[in-house]
């Protein structure tokens, strides 16, 4: 699955790799992403190709303190208004709430209260499966020790597959549809190779709804 907020530079490369391997992915995009006219064409192409298009908050809010996760930074009213604004932008592309009931929170950072508020809206909060560095594909050198090269990220995925008791069965791998220009080592250029290798290792890729039902 992929998230998107400010950047979409990998959209075409990602879409073509997924099409080549006949993989249906899930794209969780913010309201800011949906309302950006520069991204509209790729959004329509992803929808036409049958990929899941979901919500990632309207403005990419931080819901909880990084150091004290139980400390909320938003009220229920602000949370609800922001998320519904995200769905309002999705509706412009013909995406109905009832066909996008899975919600991936911004920063993938939340607490039980956020999960409860999500449920109150008739939605299901999900997150990526931990164990690999796939989500670090947004990092860039100026972040120092947080930075992970594409080689390191790819190796973390394949090593986990080989060493974990259940491999990558049932895994939700999180990547980004675009990243800051400060990252020149774009991991999405390795997506085709990753899909090829995992298929060689016997994996099948199923739509999000099939995996989570």
């Amino acid at each position: 699955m992929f998230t998107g907020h400010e950047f979409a530079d990998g959209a075409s490369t990602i879409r073509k790799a997924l099409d080549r391997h006949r993989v249906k992915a899930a794209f969780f995009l913010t309201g800011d992403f949906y309302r950006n006219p520069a991204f509209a064409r790729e959004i329509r192409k992803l929808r036409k190709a049958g990929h899941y298009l979901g919500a990632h908050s309207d403005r990419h809010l931080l819901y909880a303190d990084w150091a004290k996760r139980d400390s909320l930074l938003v009220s229920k009213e602000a949370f609800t208004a922001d998320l519904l604004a995200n769905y309002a932008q999705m509706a412009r592309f013909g995406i109905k709430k009832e066909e996008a009931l899975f919600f991936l929170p911004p920063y993938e950072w939340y607490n039980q209260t956020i999960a409860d508020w999500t449920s109150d809206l008739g939605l299901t909060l999900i997150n990526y499966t931990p164990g690999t560095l796939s989500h670090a594909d947004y990092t860039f050198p100026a972040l120092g020790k947080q930075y992970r090269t594409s080689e390191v990220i790819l190796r973390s995925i394949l090593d986990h597959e080989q060493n974990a008791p259940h491999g990558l069965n049932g895994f939700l791998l999180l990547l980004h549809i675009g990243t800051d220009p400060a990252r020149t080592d774009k991991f999405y250029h390795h997506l085709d190779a990753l899909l090829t290798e995992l298929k060689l290792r016997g994996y099948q890729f199923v739509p999000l709804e099939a995996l989570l039902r």
Side-chain angles (χ1 to χ4, degrees), residues 148-180:
R148 297 291 188 273
T149 66
S150 291
E151 181 181 355
V152 167
I153 293 170
L154 183 60
R155 180 47 50 197
S156 80
I157 297 170
L158 298 180
D159 283 351
H160 188 90
E161 189 284 320
Q162 193 168 42
N163 298 323
H166 302 290
L168 295 177
N169 287 310
F171 240 70
L172 290 171
L173 282 173
L174 176 69
L175 302 167
H176 293 82
I177 195 171
T179 60
D180 194 294

Side-chain angles (χ1 to χ4, degrees), residues 1 104 107-108 126-132 134-135 172-174:
M1 57 187 183
L104 184 65
Y107 302 102
E108 296 74 59
I126 67 169
N127 205 353
Y128 67 87
T129 308
T132 80
S134 71
H135 59 285
L172 290 171
L173 282 173
L174 176 69

